[in-house]
Amino acid sequence: MERIRHIASHVKGFFSGPSLGGRIFRYGGNQNIYTQGEPADTLFFIQEGGVRLTTRTKTQPSAVTAILGVNDFFGELCLAGYPLRMSTAITLTASSIRTIKKEKMLELIRNNSKAANSLVAHLLSSVKNYRDHVADLLTSTAEQRLARVLLRLAHLDEDGPASLEIPNPSHQVLAEMVGTTRPRINFFMNRFRKQGFVQYDGGLEVHQSLRKILRKPKNRL
Amino acid sequence: MERIRHIASHVKGFFSGPSLGGRIFRYGGNQNIYTQGEPADTLFFIQEGGVRLTTRTKTQPSAVTAILGVNDFFGELCLAGYPLRMSTAITLTASSIRTIKKEKMLELIRNNSKAANSLVAHLLSSVKNYRDHVADLLTSTAEQRLARVLLRLAHLDEDGPASLEIPNPSHQVLAEMVGTTRPRINFFMNRFRKQGFVQYDGGLEVHQSLRKILRKPKNRL
DNA sequence: GGCCGGTTGTTCAATACTGAACAGACAGAC
DNA sequence: GTCTGTCTGTTCAGTATTGAACAACCGGCC
């Protein structure tokens, strides 16, 4: 007799099933889904593609707080009663995204314990991701953070082992993901190219060898 | 007739009630609760005091990924099936902390929809906090991040309006919270003192005027 | 007393990063 | 075509930050 040992992957795919009845929207790359400050009463669920969440603050430049892929939620903060979007959601690539009305979701998690479990599982893994991201931001150099962002973007299309074409974000957007300036991004990208870690023929191609950067200690030219 | 509009504060205090039956432990300041890598099968809930979560990585210095206060959870990742602690939990001040067995918690959220709601509400607010933290790390200077950490620590004892005594963390720990080096912390603390933003007589006293630092643009000596 | 470990205070050269500026490429609008 | 906007590529002076080092202070301990 198996006891339930944890909330986990056996419910992870729950929201990709057809049981939700929400509508599905298709977007091109780099398209706005919602904007910070708009009224918020729906959640979104990524069926295909990728999304970035950007947060503006008063005095500071804007920052990309999350890079999301297939099976990730966003806009979920409206469940906690925030009436307005806390960030701006923009697609990274062509995406298909399911919308779920907040009320429908609340009803689901009240009446369907599988749905509740799935939501909790997602939120827990989301918390873990953010924690890792914070640890990364506190300890890594800008170069390493850029490497991580590129590898993350590459894995949104995950398959090939050696190298991957990725959605082509502008240096400005990369700067907001990494927390640095555009010239700095340009500088690092050139260096990555010279070292053969990325390639630039039409699209951008990220090699797995870029992982070397992550292991590099903080010094040296 | 009121419909339920969101999961929120009406269930936030749920876990501070006596209904859980978990044991309550008391700790002094700066005491280890659990260590990264240990087996994980309990959650913790802060009744009183404060806790920091620290993450070690292989090559990098360690980083403080969360500063938690009253009514916050930690150790919750075991619910998602991680068998080992992903970080080290250490008290900031004398604290009283309720432990809840993972199995008990799973049972609770299956059978008690109020408990499930409370957990989801907590996780959502946790996600929001992490998002804000990430945005902060991406856009602020080390000086501003230190100011934020000090203000956050001050609010753990929240009451007085003008200035607050706070638990006295070493410069080394502050460095791990801010993501910089100890000499840098020392430099900023001296500057804060000269500007009258903090005071140092026995304990550390943080004035609300420290908030000015948060509004300061990036330049100038 | 002396020793120890952990702390603060401080210096410094080497390195990382910012912000502003300017030029060229390219694509769509008119 | 030309204008406009957005992108890459690049330079640079000024500023911020690192990492290592050394001195001094303290509390506990033997």
Side-chain angles (χ1 to χ4, degrees):
Chain A
M1 167 173 92
E2 263 276 34
R3 290 207 51 185
I4 294 176
R5 303 298 292 270
H6 49 79
I7 320 179
S9 44
H10 65 287
V11 286
K12 268 275 191 60
F14 181 84
F15 294 105
S16 51
S19 47
L20 294 172
R23 293 175 58 190
I24 293 181
F25 290 89
R26 303 199 141 273
Y27 294 88
N30 226 43
Q31 243 179 309
N32 183 287
I33 301 173
Y34 61 72
T35 301
Q36 186 169 348
E38 286 178 6
D41 58 0
T42 47
L43 292 83
F44 298 84
F45 183 74
I46 304 176
Q47 311 265 51
E48 210 180 318
V51 169
R52 70 174 196 263
L53 300 184
T54 302
T55 300
R56 291 189 314 263
T57 47
K58 299 118 257 189
T59 56
Q60 308 287 26
S62 54
V64 175
T65 51
I67 296 173
L68 304 173
V70 172
N71 280 348
D72 282 326
F73 273 104
F74 58 98
E76 74 274 50
L77 287 191
C78 66
L79 283 182
Y82 293 98
L84 303 178
R85 297 292 176 202
M86 308 299 286
S87 53
T88 298
I90 296 177
T91 55
L92 292 163
T93 60
S95 303
S96 92
I97 289 171
R98 162 166 278 159
T99 65
I100 307 169
K101 281 242 175 306
K102 172 179 137 181
E103 277 77 17
K104 169 83 173 166
M105 191 65 184
L106 288 170
E107 189 197 312
L108 258 179
I109 62 180
R110 262 204 316 280
N111 303 328
N112 182 330
S113 80
K114 236 177 149 179
N117 264 8
S118 184
L119 180 63
V120 169
H122 170 271
L123 289 174
L124 285 170
S125 94
S126 190
V127 164
K128 165 136 179 31
N129 285 341
Y130 276 111
R131 239 173 238 178
D132 292 347
H133 193 174
V134 167
D136 179 40
L137 292 174
L138 286 173
T139 57
S140 302
T141 62
E143 185 181 27
Q144 291 175 316
R145 298 197 305 268
L146 175 57
R148 237 180 270 270
V149 163
L150 291 176
L151 288 165
R152 175 88 180 90
L153 290 172
H155 275 299
L156 292 179
D157 294 340
E158 68 194 301
D159 53 273
S163 68
L164 294 162
E165 289 259 342
I166 67 169
N168 209 328
S170 74
H171 286 186
Q172 180 56 53
V173 171
L174 287 176
E176 290 173 8
M177 292 172 169
V178 170
T180 185
T181 56
R182 196 182 57 75
R184 204 98 191 100
I185 295 289
N186 190 272
F187 173 74
F188 288 133
M189 289 302 275
N190 285 344
R191 203 152 76 176
F192 288 166
R193 227 176 339 178
K194 273 177 204 140
Q195 291 170 295
F197 295 146
V198 306
Q199 231 164 325
Y200 236 157
D201 42 286
L204 178 59
E205 200 172 315
V206 177
H207 296 232
Q208 293 298 321
S209 55
L210 182 56
R211 289 181 193 283
K212 277 182 198 144
I213 294 292
L214 304 183
R215 276 176 252 121
K216 184 168 113 175
K218 279 205 174 181
N219 284 13
R220 219 178 4 171
L221 171 78
Chain B
M1 169 174 87
E2 262 276 35
R3 289 207 51 187
I4 293 176
R5 303 297 292 269
H6 50 77
I7 320 178
S9 44
H10 66 287
V11 285
K12 268 274 192 62
F14 181 84
F15 294 106
S16 50
S19 47
L20 295 173
R23 292 176 59 191
I24 293 180
F25 290 89
R26 303 198 139 274
Y27 294 88
N30 224 44
Q31 242 180 309
N32 183 286
I33 300 173
Y34 60 72
T35 301
Q36 186 170 349
E38 286 178 5
D41 57 1
T42 48
L43 292 84
F44 298 82
F45 183 73
I46 304 175
Q47 311 266 51
E48 211 180 318
V51 169
R52 69 173 198 264
L53 300 184
T54 302
T55 301
R56 291 189 314 263
T57 48
K58 301 116 256 187
T59 56
Q60 308 286 25
S62 54
V64 174
T65 51
I67 297 173
L68 304 173
V70 172
N71 280 347
D72 282 326
F73 273 104
F74 59 97
E76 75 273 51
L77 286 190
C78 67
L79 283 182
Y82 294 98
L84 303 178
R85 297 293 177 201
M86 308 300 284
S87 52
T88 297
I90 296 177
T91 54
L92 292 163
T93 60
S95 304
S96 92
I97 289 171
R98 163 168 276 160
T99 65
I100 307 170
K101 280 241 175 304
K102 172 178 136 182
E103 277 77 19
K104 169 84 174 166
M105 190 67 184
L106 288 169
E107 188 197 313
L108 259 180
I109 63 179
R110 262 205 315 282
N111 302 330
N112 181 330
S113 79
K114 236 177 150 180
N117 264 8
S118 184
L119 179 63
V120 169
H122 170 271
L123 289 174
L124 286 170
S125 94
S126 188
V127 164
K128 165 134 178 35
N129 285 342
Y130 276 111
R131 240 174 237 177
D132 292 347
H133 193 174
V134 166
D136 179 40
L137 292 174
L138 286 173
T139 57
S140 302
T141 63
E143 185 181 27
Q144 292 175 315
R145 297 197 306 269
L146 175 57
R148 238 180 269 270
V149 164
L150 292 176
L151 288 165
R152 174 89 180 87
L153 289 173
H155 276 298
L156 293 179
D157 293 340
E158 70 193 299
D159 53 273
S163 68
L164 294 162
E165 289 259 342
I166 67 169
N168 210 327
S170 75
H171 287 186
Q172 180 57 54
V173 171
L174 287 176
E176 289 173 8
M177 291 171 170
V178 170
T180 185
T181 56
R182 196 183 58 75
R184 204 98 192 98
I185 295 289
N186 190 273
F187 173 74
F188 289 133
M189 290 301 275
N190 285 343
R191 202 152 76 175
F192 288 166
R193 228 178 337 179
K194 273 177 204 140
Q195 292 171 295
F197 295 146
V198 306
Q199 232 165 323
Y200 236 157
D201 42 285
L204 178 58
E205 199 173 316
V206 177
H207 296 231
Q208 293 299 321
S209 57
L210 182 56
R211 287 181 194 285
K212 277 182 198 143
I213 295 293
L214 303 183
R215 275 174 253 122
K216 184 168 113 174
K218 278 205 176 182
N219 284 13
R220 218 177 9 168
L221 171 78

